Amino acid sequence: MSTRAAQFTARVARREPLTDHLVRLVLDGLDDFRSTGVPDEWVGLVVPGQFQVRYYTVRGFAAGELVLDVVVHDVGLVTEWAMRDCVGDTVTITEPKSSFAPPPDPAWLLLVGDLTAMPAMARILETHPGLPTYVMAEVPDQSQLALAGYLPGHADVTWLAPPAPGQSALAEVVEGIDWPEGDGYFWMAGESAQMRAIRKHLMREVGLPTSHYDVMGYWRATAARQPRAVDPGPIWRAGKAAGKTDEQIWADYDAAQSEAAPTEQAREASDG
Ligand SMILES: Cc1cc2nc3c(=O)[nH]c(=O)nc-3n(C[C@H](O)[C@H](O)[C@H](O)COP(=O)(O)OP(=O)(O)OC[C@H]3O[C@@H](n4cnc5c(N)ncnc54)[C@H](O)[C@@H]3O)c2cc1C
């Protein structure tokens, strides 16, 4: 039995750089895609010639077009693809999932995150226009200027610079928060190690009930790209040359992976 989530094939219709580090991609051909309507919803994205999934927030979806705002950092499967002219490329998208779940009638929203969290924070603000909302955004200087109009205007935004490129000090920032009065909802996303520290702080020091916060690790700071048990490139090229469908090539890749590295697969599954 296959446990793979539903998948959609899409085409990159437009590519628009928003800042030095953020590129907007508009994907079309997604008439069968159904949004969850939850503002932090995300999809898995598989780019041409790759099998590994990377996750991106649905910045918007309308009329069969899906908008993803992609951070381009130093190296990365999607980063390197999105830096190039990828218009016309065919990609695979997985069905959307979501996590943002405030209690009924929160008194306020507090949103904290780095550049990868900006799309979700923008969409949360769009869908909650009437609530007092505080945002702490850790983004590079030049992005702060360009992104000033990215977030809907009613939020009280604090812009923070990262300590160094590719680093984050959000755990310290959260430890210094002067919490608003009343029962609100705290949403946060960014580098995974920072998020683990923050969850502990919220539970132990702030005493927030788990229903009142959502803290998501969006990326892992590692020295280099994660090694893969099997290089998907040759399998992809051989499959395409043999006229196989994407589904058949996926099956070849799955078979090669389970032959080569069952323990690696088990580790990835247990990491979620
Ligand atoms: C639910 C969810 C929603 C997300 N939404 C978005 C979104 O809307 N936009 C977005 O850009 N990202 C988003 N992310 C984060 C994105 O999936 C990761 O940053 C991903 O690793 C990028 O893939 P890559 O192929 O470019 O780099 P990878 O091949 O995964 O990583 C290569 C190297 O880059 C480093 N790296 C990865 N991400 C970053 C980063 N952001 N900054 C600095 N170094 C990094 C890694 O440590 C690694 O060393 C989301 C993640 C999740 C889980």
Side-chain angles (χ1 to χ4, degrees), residues 53-83:
V53 178
R54 298 290 187 267
Y55 296 97
Y56 288 91
T57 305
V58 176
R59 178 63 190 86
F61 179 69
E65 284 196 341
L66 185 78
V67 179
L68 306 179
D69 289 346
V70 173
V71 175
V72 289
H73 43 96
D74 289 345
V75 291
L77 297 183
V78 171
T79 285
E80 286 159 51
W81 169 77
M83 277 176 181

Side-chain angles (χ1 to χ4, degrees), residues 92-107:
T92 302
I93 293 295
T94 61
E95 63 189 346
K97 294 198 163 73
S98 62
S99 179
F100 180 83
D105 301 322

